[in-house]
Coordinates of all heavy atoms in Angstrom, one line a residue:
M908 N 80.0 109.0 86.5 CA 80.1 110.0 85.4 C 80.6 111.3 86.0 O 80.3 111.5 87.2 CB 78.8 110.2 84.7 CG 78.4 109.2 83.7 SD 77.2 109.8 82.7 CE 75.9 108.7 83.2
K909 N 81.3 112.0 85.3 CA 81.9 113.3 85.7 C 81.5 114.4 84.7 O 81.6 114.2 83.5 CB 83.4 113.2 85.8 CG 84.0 114.4 86.4 CD 85.4 114.1 86.8 CE 85.9 115.3 87.6 NZ 87.2 115.1 88.1
D910 N 81.0 115.5 85.2 CA 80.6 116.6 84.4 C 81.7 117.6 84.3 O 82.2 118.0 85.3 CB 79.3 117.2 84.9 CG 78.8 118.3 84.0 OD1 78.7 118.1 82.8 OD2 78.6 119.4 84.5
I911 N 82.2 117.8 83.1 CA 83.3 118.7 82.9 C 83.0 119.7 81.8 O 82.9 119.4 80.7 CB 84.6 118.0 82.5 CG1 85.0 116.9 83.5 CG2 85.8 119.0 82.3 CD1 86.1 116.0 83.1
R912 N 82.6 120.9 82.2 CA 82.2 122.0 81.3 C 81.3 121.5 80.2 O 81.6 121.6 79.0 CB 83.5 122.6 80.7 CG 84.3 123.3 81.7 CD 85.4 124.1 81.1 NE 86.3 124.6 82.1 CZ 87.3 125.4 81.9 NH1 87.6 125.7 80.7 NH2 88.0 125.8 82.9
G913 N 80.2 120.9 80.5 CA 79.2 120.5 79.5 C 79.4 119.2 78.9 O 78.7 118.8 78.0
L914 N 80.4 118.4 79.4 CA 80.7 117.1 78.9 C 80.5 116.1 80.0 O 81.0 116.3 81.1 CB 82.1 117.0 78.3 CG 82.4 118.0 77.1 CD1 83.9 117.8 76.7 CD2 81.5 117.7 76.0
E915 N 79.9 115.0 79.7 CA 79.9 113.9 80.6 C 80.8 112.8 80.1 O 80.8 112.5 78.9 CB 78.5 113.3 80.7 CG 77.4 114.2 81.2 CD 76.1 113.6 81.2 OE1 75.9 112.4 81.0 OE2 75.1 114.4 81.4
V916 N 81.7 112.3 81.0 CA 82.7 111.3 80.6 C 82.4 110.1 81.5 O 82.3 110.2 82.7 CB 84.1 111.8 80.8 CG1 85.1 110.8 80.4 CG2 84.3 113.1 80.1
S917 N 82.3 108.9 80.9 CA 82.1 107.7 81.7 C 83.0 106.6 81.1 O 83.2 106.5 79.9 CB 80.6 107.3 81.6 OG 80.2 107.1 80.3
A918 N 83.4 105.7 82.0 CA 84.2 104.6 81.6 C 83.3 103.5 81.0 O 82.3 103.2 81.5 CB 85.0 104.0 82.8
V919 N 83.8 102.9 79.9 CA 83.1 101.8 79.3 C 84.1 100.8 78.9 O 84.9 101.0 78.0 CB 82.3 102.3 78.0 CG1 81.6 101.1 77.3 CG2 81.3 103.4 78.4
D920 N 84.1 99.6 79.6 CA 85.1 98.6 79.3 C 86.5 99.2 79.3 O 86.9 99.9 80.2 CB 84.8 97.8 78.0 CG 83.5 97.1 78.2 OD1 83.2 96.6 79.3 OD2 82.8 96.9 77.2
A921 N 87.3 98.9 78.2 CA 88.6 99.5 78.0 C 88.6 100.8 77.3 O 89.6 101.3 76.9 CB 89.5 98.4 77.3
G922 N 87.5 101.4 77.2 CA 87.4 102.7 76.5 C 86.6 103.7 77.3 O 86.2 103.4 78.4
A923 N 86.5 104.9 76.8 CA 85.7 105.9 77.4 C 84.8 106.5 76.4 O 85.1 106.5 75.2 CB 86.7 107.0 78.0
V924 N 83.7 107.0 76.8 CA 82.7 107.7 75.9 C 82.5 109.1 76.5 O 82.1 109.3 77.6 CB 81.4 106.9 75.9 CG1 80.4 107.7 75.0 CG2 81.6 105.5 75.4
K925 N 82.8 110.1 75.6 CA 82.6 111.5 76.0 C 81.2 111.8 75.3 O 81.0 111.6 74.1 CB 83.7 112.3 75.4 CG 83.6 113.8 75.7 CD 84.6 114.6 74.9 CE 85.8 114.8 75.7 NZ 86.8 115.7 75.0
I926 N 80.3 112.3 76.2 CA 79.0 112.7 75.7 C 78.7 114.2 75.9 O 79.0 114.7 76.9 CB 77.9 111.9 76.5 CG1 78.1 110.4 76.3 CG2 76.5 112.3 76.0 CD1 77.2 109.5 77.1
L927 N 78.3 114.8 74.8 CA 78.0 116.2 74.9 C 76.7 116.4 75.7 O 75.7 115.8 75.5 CB 77.8 116.8 73.5 CG 77.6 118.3 73.3 CD1 78.9 119.0 73.8 CD2 77.3 118.7 71.9
D928 N 76.8 117.3 76.7 CA 75.7 117.6 77.6 C 74.5 118.1 76.8 O 74.7 118.8 75.8 CB 76.2 118.7 78.6 CG 75.2 119.1 79.5 OD1 75.0 118.5 80.6 OD2 74.5 120.2 79.3
R929 N 73.3 117.7 77.2 CA 72.1 118.1 76.4 C 71.9 119.6 76.3 O 71.4 120.1 75.3 CB 70.9 117.4 77.1 CG 70.9 115.9 76.8 CD 69.5 115.4 77.3 NE 69.5 113.9 77.2 CZ 69.1 113.2 76.1 NH1 68.6 113.8 75.1 NH2 69.2 111.9 76.1
T930 N 72.3 120.3 77.3 CA 72.2 121.8 77.2 C 73.2 122.3 76.1 O 72.8 123.1 75.3 CB 72.6 122.4 78.6 OG1 71.8 121.9 79.6 CG2 72.5 123.9 78.5
A931 N 74.4 121.8 76.1 CA 75.3 122.2 75.1 C 74.9 121.7 73.7 O 75.1 122.4 72.7 CB 76.7 121.7 75.4
A932 N 74.3 120.5 73.7 CA 73.8 119.9 72.4 C 72.7 120.8 71.8 O 72.5 120.6 70.6 CB 73.3 118.5 72.6
A933 N 72.1 121.6 72.5 CA 71.0 122.5 71.9 C 71.6 123.6 71.1 O 70.9 124.3 70.4 CB 70.1 123.1 73.1
D934 N 72.9 123.8 71.3 CA 73.6 124.9 70.6 C 74.3 124.3 69.3 O 75.3 123.6 69.5 CB 74.7 125.6 71.5 CG 75.5 126.6 70.8 OD1 75.3 127.0 69.7 OD2 76.4 127.2 71.5
P935 N 73.9 124.6 68.1 CA 74.5 124.1 66.9 C 76.0 124.3 66.8 O 76.7 123.4 66.4 CB 73.8 124.8 65.8 CG 72.5 125.2 66.3 CD 72.8 125.5 67.8
A936 N 76.5 125.4 67.3 CA 77.9 125.7 67.3 C 78.7 124.8 68.2 O 79.8 124.3 67.9 CB 78.2 127.2 67.7
A937 N 78.1 124.5 69.4 CA 78.7 123.5 70.3 C 78.8 122.1 69.7 O 79.8 121.4 69.8 CB 78.0 123.5 71.6
V938 N 77.7 121.7 69.0 CA 77.7 120.4 68.4 C 78.8 120.4 67.3 O 79.5 119.4 67.2 CB 76.3 120.1 67.8 CG1 76.3 118.8 67.0 CG2 75.3 120.0 68.9
E939 N 78.9 121.4 66.5 CA 79.9 121.4 65.4 C 81.3 121.4 66.0 O 82.2 120.7 65.5 CB 79.7 122.7 64.6 CG 80.7 122.7 63.4 CD 80.7 121.4 62.5 OE1 79.6 120.8 62.3 OE2 81.8 121.0 62.1
R940 N 81.6 122.1 67.1 CA 82.9 122.0 67.7 C 83.2 120.6 68.3 O 84.3 120.1 68.1 CB 83.0 123.0 68.9 CG 83.2 124.5 68.5 CD 83.5 125.4 69.7 NE 82.6 125.3 70.8 CZ 81.5 126.0 70.9 NH1 81.2 126.9 69.9 NH2 80.7 125.9 71.9
F941 N 82.2 120.0 68.8 CA 82.3 118.6 69.4 C 82.7 117.7 68.3 O 83.6 116.9 68.4 CB 81.0 118.3 70.1 CG 81.1 117.0 70.8 CD1 81.7 116.9 72.1 CD2 80.5 115.8 70.3 CE1 81.7 115.7 72.8 CE2 80.5 114.6 71.1 CZ 81.1 114.6 72.3
L942 N 81.9 117.7 67.1 CA 82.2 116.9 66.0 C 83.5 117.2 65.3 O 84.2 116.3 64.9 CB 81.0 116.9 65.0 CG 79.7 116.4 65.6 CD1 78.6 116.6 64.6 CD2 79.8 115.0 66.0
F943 N 83.9 118.4 65.3 CA 85.2 118.8 64.7 C 86.3 118.2 65.6 O 87.3 117.7 65.0 CB 85.3 120.4 64.7 CG 86.6 120.8 64.2 CD1 86.9 120.8 62.8 CD2 87.6 121.3 65.0 CE1 88.1 121.3 62.3 CE2 88.8 121.7 64.6 CZ 89.1 121.7 63.2
E944 N 86.1 118.3 66.9 CA 87.1 117.6 67.8 C 87.3 116.1 67.4 O 88.4 115.6 67.3 CB 86.7 117.8 69.2 CG 87.6 117.0 70.2 CD 87.0 117.0 71.6 OE1 86.2 117.8 72.0 OE2 87.5 116.1 72.4
A945 N 86.1 115.5 67.3 CA 86.2 114.0 67.0 C 86.8 113.7 65.6 O 87.7 112.9 65.6 CB 84.7 113.5 67.0
R946 N 86.4 114.5 64.6 CA 87.0 114.2 63.3 C 88.5 114.5 63.2 O 89.3 113.8 62.7 CB 86.3 115.1 62.2 CG 84.9 114.7 61.9 CD 84.3 115.4 60.7 NE 84.3 116.9 60.9 CZ 83.2 117.5 61.4 NH1 82.2 116.9 61.8 NH2 83.3 118.8 61.6
T947 N 88.9 115.6 63.9 CA 90.3 116.0 63.9 C 91.1 115.0 64.6 O 92.2 114.5 64.1 CB 90.4 117.4 64.5 OG1 89.6 118.3 63.8 CG2 91.9 117.8 64.5
A948 N 90.7 114.6 65.9 CA 91.5 113.7 66.7 C 91.5 112.3 66.0 O 92.5 111.6 66.1 CB 90.9 113.6 68.1
A949 N 90.4 111.9 65.3 CA 90.4 110.6 64.7 C 91.4 110.5 63.5 O 91.9 109.5 63.2 CB 89.0 110.3 64.1
G950 N 91.7 111.7 62.9 CA 92.7 111.7 61.8 C 94.1 111.8 62.2 O 95.0 111.8 61.4
L951 N 94.4 111.8 63.5 CA 95.7 111.9 64.0 C 96.2 110.6 64.7 O 95.4 109.9 65.3 CB 95.8 113.0 65.1 CG 95.4 114.4 64.7 CD1 95.3 115.3 65.8 CD2 96.3 114.9 63.6
E952 N 97.5 110.3 64.5 CA 98.1 109.1 65.1 C 99.4 109.5 65.7 O 100.3 109.9 65.0 CB 98.3 108.0 64.1 CG 98.7 106.7 64.7 CD 98.8 105.6 63.7 OE1 98.0 105.6 62.7 OE2 99.6 104.7 63.9
H953 N 99.4 109.5 67.1 CA 100.6 110.0 67.8 C 100.5 109.4 69.2 O 99.4 109.3 69.8 CB 100.6 111.5 67.9 CG 101.9 112.0 68.4 ND1 102.1 112.1 69.8 CD2 103.0 112.5 67.8 CE1 103.3 112.7 70.0 NE2 103.8 112.9 68.8
P954 N 101.6 109.0 69.8 CA 101.5 108.4 71.1 C 100.9 109.3 72.2 O 100.5 108.8 73.2 CB 103.0 108.0 71.5 CG 103.8 108.4 70.3 CD 102.9 109.0 69.3
N955 N 101.0 110.6 72.0 CA 100.5 111.6 73.0 C 99.0 112.0 72.7 O 98.6 112.9 73.3 CB 101.4 112.8 73.1 CG 102.7 112.4 73.6 OD1 102.9 111.5 74.4 ND2 103.7 113.2 73.2
I956 N 98.4 111.4 71.7 CA 97.0 111.7 71.4 C 96.1 110.5 71.6 O 96.5 109.4 71.1 CB 96.9 112.2 69.9 CG1 97.7 113.5 69.8 CG2 95.5 112.5 69.6 CD1 97.8 114.0 68.4
V957 N 95.1 110.6 72.3 CA 94.1 109.5 72.6 C 93.5 109.1 71.3 O 92.9 109.9 70.6 CB 93.1 109.9 73.6 CG1 92.1 108.8 73.9 CG2 93.7 110.4 74.9
P958 N 93.5 107.8 71.0 CA 92.9 107.3 69.8 C 91.4 107.4 69.9 O 90.8 107.1 70.9 CB 93.3 105.8 69.7 CG 94.4 105.7 70.6 CD 94.3 106.7 71.6
I959 N 90.7 107.8 68.8 CA 89.3 107.9 68.7 C 88.8 106.6 67.9 O 89.3 106.3 66.9 CB 88.8 109.1 67.9 CG1 89.4 110.4 68.6 CG2 87.3 109.2 67.7 CD1 88.9 110.6 70.0
Y960 N 87.8 105.9 68.6 CA 87.3 104.7 67.9 C 86.1 105.0 67.1 O 85.9 104.4 66.0 CB 86.9 103.7 69.0 CG 88.0 103.3 69.9 CD1 87.8 103.1 71.3 CD2 89.3 103.0 69.4 CE1 88.9 102.7 72.1 CE2 90.3 102.6 70.2 CZ 90.1 102.4 71.6 OH 91.1 102.0 72.4
A961 N 85.2 105.9 67.5 CA 84.0 106.2 66.8 C 83.4 107.5 67.3 O 83.8 108.0 68.4 CB 83.0 105.1 66.9
W962 N 82.5 108.1 66.6 CA 81.8 109.3 67.0 C 80.4 109.3 66.3 O 80.3 108.7 65.2 CB 82.5 110.6 66.9 CG 82.7 111.0 65.4 CD1 81.9 111.8 64.7 CD2 83.8 110.7 64.6 NE1 82.4 112.0 63.4 CE2 83.5 111.3 63.3 CE3 84.9 109.9 64.7 CZ2 84.4 111.2 62.2 CZ3 85.8 109.8 63.6 CH2 85.5 110.4 62.4
G963 N 79.5 110.0 66.8 CA 78.2 110.1 66.2 C 77.1 110.4 67.2 O 77.4 111.1 68.2
E964 N 75.9 110.0 66.9 CA 74.7 110.2 67.7 C 74.0 108.9 68.1 O 73.9 108.1 67.2 CB 73.7 111.2 67.0 CG 72.6 111.5 67.9 CD 71.6 112.5 67.2 OE1 72.0 113.2 66.2 OE2 70.5 112.6 67.6
G965 N 73.7 108.8 69.3 CA 73.0 107.6 69.8 C 72.1 108.0 70.9 O 72.4 108.7 71.8
E966 N 70.8 107.5 70.8 CA 69.8 107.8 71.8 C 69.7 109.3 72.0 O 69.5 109.8 73.1 CB 70.1 107.1 73.1 CG 70.0 105.6 72.9 CD 70.3 104.8 74.2 OE1 70.2 105.5 75.3 OE2 70.5 103.6 74.1
G967 N 69.8 110.1 71.0 CA 69.7 111.6 71.1 C 70.9 112.3 71.6 O 70.9 113.5 71.9
N968 N 72.0 111.6 71.8 CA 73.3 112.2 72.4 C 74.4 112.1 71.4 O 74.6 111.1 70.8 CB 73.7 111.4 73.7 CG 72.7 111.5 74.8 OD1 72.4 112.6 75.2 ND2 72.2 110.4 75.2
Q969 N 75.1 113.2 71.3 CA 76.4 113.2 70.5 C 77.4 112.6 71.4 O 77.6 112.9 72.6 CB 76.8 114.6 70.2 CG 75.8 115.4 69.3 CD 75.8 114.9 67.9 OE1 76.7 114.3 67.4 NE2 74.7 115.0 67.2
Y970 N 78.3 111.7 70.8 CA 79.3 111.0 71.6 C 80.6 110.9 70.8 O 80.6 110.9 69.6 CB 78.8 109.6 72.0 CG 78.7 108.7 70.9 CD1 79.8 107.9 70.5 CD2 77.5 108.5 70.2 CE1 79.7 107.0 69.4 CE2 77.4 107.7 69.1 CZ 78.5 106.9 68.7 OH 78.5 106.1 67.6
I971 N 81.7 110.7 71.6 CA 83.0 110.3 71.0 C 83.5 109.1 71.8 O 83.6 109.2 73.1 CB 84.0 111.5 71.1 CG1 83.5 112.7 70.4 CG2 85.4 111.0 70.5 CD1 84.4 113.9 70.7
A972 N 83.8 108.0 71.2 CA 84.3 106.8 71.8 C 85.8 106.8 71.6 O 86.3 107.0 70.5 CB 83.7 105.5 71.3
M973 N 86.5 106.6 72.7 CA 88.0 106.7 72.7 C 88.6 105.7 73.7 O 88.0 105.1 74.5 CB 88.4 108.1 73.0 CG 88.1 108.6 74.4 SD 88.3 110.3 74.7 CE 86.9 111.0 73.8
R974 N 89.9 105.6 73.6 CA 90.7 104.8 74.5 C 90.6 105.4 75.9 O 90.6 106.6 76.1 CB 92.2 104.7 74.1 CG 93.0 103.9 75.1 CD 94.4 103.8 74.8 NE 94.6 103.0 73.5 CZ 95.6 103.1 72.7 NH1 96.6 103.9 73.0 NH2 95.6 102.3 71.6
W975 N 90.5 104.5 76.9 CA 90.5 104.9 78.3 C 91.9 105.1 78.8 O 92.8 104.2 78.6 CB 89.8 103.9 79.2 CG 89.9 104.2 80.7 CD1 90.8 103.6 81.5 CD2 89.2 105.1 81.4 NE1 90.6 104.1 82.8 CE2 89.6 105.0 82.7 CE3 88.2 106.0 81.1 CZ2 89.1 105.8 83.7 CZ3 87.7 106.8 82.1 CH2 88.1 106.7 83.4
L976 N 92.2 106.2 79.4 CA 93.5 106.5 80.0 C 93.4 106.5 81.5 O 92.6 107.2 82.0 CB 94.1 107.8 79.5 CG 94.4 107.9 78.0 CD1 94.9 109.3 77.7 CD2 95.3 106.9 77.6
S977 N 94.2 105.7 82.2 CA 94.1 105.7 83.7 C 95.0 106.9 84.2 O 95.9 107.4 83.5 CB 94.6 104.4 84.2 OG 95.9 104.1 83.9
G978 N 94.7 107.2 85.4 CA 95.5 108.3 86.0 C 94.6 109.5 86.3 O 93.5 109.5 86.0
P979 N 95.2 110.5 87.0 CA 94.4 111.6 87.4 C 94.1 112.5 86.2 O 94.8 112.6 85.2 CB 95.3 112.4 88.4 CG 96.7 112.0 87.9 CD 96.6 110.6 87.4
G980 N 92.9 113.2 86.3 CA 92.5 114.1 85.3 C 93.2 115.5 85.5 O 93.8 115.7 86.5
L981 N 93.1 116.3 84.5 CA 93.7 117.7 84.6 C 93.1 118.5 85.8 O 93.8 119.3 86.4 CB 93.6 118.4 83.3 CG 94.4 117.9 82.2 CD1 94.1 118.7 80.9 CD2 95.9 117.9 82.5
D982 N 91.9 118.1 86.1 CA 91.2 118.9 87.2 C 91.8 118.5 88.6 O 91.6 119.2 89.6 CB 89.7 118.6 87.2 CG 89.4 117.1 87.4 OD1 90.2 116.3 87.1 OD2 88.2 116.8 87.8
A983 N 92.7 117.5 88.6 CA 93.3 117.0 89.9 C 94.6 117.8 90.1 O 95.2 117.6 91.2 CB 93.6 115.5 89.8
L984 N 95.0 118.6 89.2 CA 96.3 119.4 89.4 C 96.1 120.3 90.6 O 95.1 121.0 90.7 CB 96.6 120.2 88.1 CG 97.0 119.5 86.9 CD1 97.2 120.4 85.7 CD2 98.3 118.7 87.1
E985 N 97.1 120.4 91.4 CA 97.1 121.3 92.5 C 97.1 122.7 92.1 O 96.6 123.6 92.8 CB 98.2 120.9 93.5 CG 98.0 119.6 94.2 CD 99.1 119.3 95.2 OE1 99.7 120.3 95.7 OE2 99.2 118.2 95.6
E986 N 97.9 123.0 91.1 CA 98.0 124.4 90.6 C 97.4 124.5 89.2 O 97.5 123.6 88.4 CB 99.4 124.9 90.7 CG 100.3 124.1 89.7 CD 101.8 124.6 89.9 OE1 102.4 124.2 90.8 OE2 102.2 125.4 89.0
K987 N 96.8 125.6 88.9 CA 96.3 125.9 87.6 C 97.5 126.2 86.6 O 98.5 126.8 87.0 CB 95.3 127.0 87.6 CG 94.1 126.8 88.4 CD 93.4 125.6 87.9 CE 92.2 125.3 88.8 NZ 91.6 124.0 88.6
L988 N 97.4 125.7 85.4 CA 98.5 126.0 84.4 C 98.3 127.3 83.8 O 97.2 127.7 83.4 CB 98.4 124.9 83.3 CG 98.6 123.4 83.8 CD1 98.4 122.5 82.6 CD2 99.9 123.2 84.5
G989 N 99.4 128.1 83.8 CA 99.4 129.4 83.1 C 99.5 129.2 81.6 O 99.9 128.1 81.1
P990 N 99.3 130.2 80.8 CA 99.4 130.2 79.4 C 100.8 129.7 78.9 O 100.9 128.9 77.9 CB 99.2 131.6 78.9 CG 98.7 132.3 80.0 CD 99.0 131.6 81.3
E991 N 101.9 130.1 79.5 CA 103.2 129.6 79.1 C 103.4 128.1 79.3 O 103.9 127.4 78.4 CB 104.3 130.4 79.9 CG 104.4 131.8 79.5 CD 105.4 132.6 80.3 OE1 106.2 131.9 81.1 OE2 105.4 133.8 80.2
R992 N 102.9 127.6 80.4 CA 103.0 126.1 80.6 C 102.1 125.4 79.7 O 102.5 124.3 79.2 CB 102.6 125.8 82.1 CG 102.8 124.4 82.4 CD 104.3 123.9 82.3 NE 104.4 122.5 82.6 CZ 105.2 121.7 82.0 NH1 105.9 122.1 81.0 NH2 105.2 120.4 82.3
V993 N 101.0 125.9 79.4 CA 100.1 125.2 78.4 C 100.7 125.2 77.1 O 100.7 124.1 76.4 CB 98.7 126.0 78.3 CG1 97.9 125.4 77.2 CG2 97.9 125.8 79.7
A994 N 101.4 126.3 76.7 CA 102.1 126.3 75.4 C 103.3 125.3 75.4 O 103.5 124.6 74.4 CB 102.6 127.7 75.1
Q995 N 104.0 125.2 76.5 CA 105.1 124.2 76.6 C 104.6 122.8 76.4 O 105.2 122.0 75.7 CB 105.8 124.3 77.9 CG 106.6 125.6 78.1 CD 107.1 125.7 79.5 OE1 106.6 125.1 80.4 NE2 108.2 126.6 79.6
I996 N 103.5 122.5 77.1 CA 102.9 121.1 77.0 C 102.4 120.9 75.6 O 102.6 119.8 75.0 CB 101.7 121.0 78.0 CG1 102.3 121.0 79.4 CG2 100.9 119.7 77.7 CD1 101.3 121.1 80.5
G997 N 101.8 121.9 74.9 CA 101.4 121.7 73.6 C 102.5 121.4 72.6 O 102.4 120.6 71.7
I998 N 103.6 122.1 72.8 CA 104.8 121.8 72.0 C 105.3 120.4 72.2 O 105.6 119.7 71.2 CB 105.9 122.9 72.3 CG1 105.5 124.2 71.8 CG2 107.2 122.4 71.6 CD1 106.3 125.4 72.2
L999 N 105.3 119.9 73.4 CA 105.8 118.6 73.7 C 104.8 117.5 73.1 O 105.3 116.5 72.5 CB 105.8 118.3 75.2 CG 107.0 119.1 76.0 CD1 106.8 118.9 77.5 CD2 108.3 118.6 75.5
V1000 N 103.5 117.8 73.2 CA 102.6 116.9 72.6 C 102.7 116.8 71.1 O 102.6 115.7 70.4 CB 101.1 117.3 73.0 CG1 100.1 116.5 72.2 CG2 100.9 117.1 74.5
A1001 N 103.0 117.9 70.5 CA 103.1 118.0 69.0 C 104.4 117.3 68.4 O 104.4 117.0 67.3 CB 103.1 119.5 68.5
Q1002 N 105.4 117.1 69.3 CA 106.6 116.6 68.8 C 106.5 115.1 68.5 O 105.8 114.3 69.0 CB 107.7 116.8 69.8 CG 108.0 118.2 70.0 CD 109.1 118.5 71.1 OE1 109.4 117.6 71.9 NE2 109.7 119.7 71.1

């Protein structure tokens, strides 16, 4: 498992499960943002957006189940992305 800003991500078969960290889960606003992310992404269908299979609560944890993508994570980038590059990537993803 890998902890990324309050989220634990673990591989499960051909999918991945994103779990909201218990500390973040104590904040109702963080839970709402997490569920909003799940609902929003689940309603989108695009080759550049990871499909969401399910979301909810299990064993006291908020989770999002999604397709597993192989390859390096964004944290593996050698250089940090500036705002302009992030905007360019966002535009490409939206196309």
Side-chain angles (χ1 to χ4, degrees):
M908 281 197 249
K909 185 166 189 178
D910 184 49
I911 304 172
R912 294 188 187 184
L914 300 177
E915 293 177 17
V916 182
S917 58
V919 177
D920 296 326
V924 179
K925 181 188 269 188
I926 300 173
L927 187 63
D928 179 84
R929 289 189 186 265
T930 303
D934 177 3
V938 172
E939 184 52 39
R940 282 191 307 271
F941 188 76
L942 296 176
F943 178 77
E944 173 190 343
R946 288 189 301 268
T947 302
L951 302 173
E952 188 174 330
H953 189 277
N955 294 332
I956 298 174
V957 177
I959 302 298
Y960 300 139
W962 69 90
E964 182 177 342
E966 298 181 15
N968 296 301
Q969 297 289 336
Y970 70 88
I971 303 172
M973 64 190 74
R974 177 181 293 156
W975 172 259
L976 298 179
S977 61
L981 292 177
D982 59 339
L984 290 175
E985 290 185 21
E986 63 183 78
K987 299 298 178 193
L988 300 176
E991 291 177 10
R992 183 64 181 136
V993 170
Q995 290 171 340
I996 292 169
I998 290 168
L999 290 172
V1000 168
Q1002 294 178 345

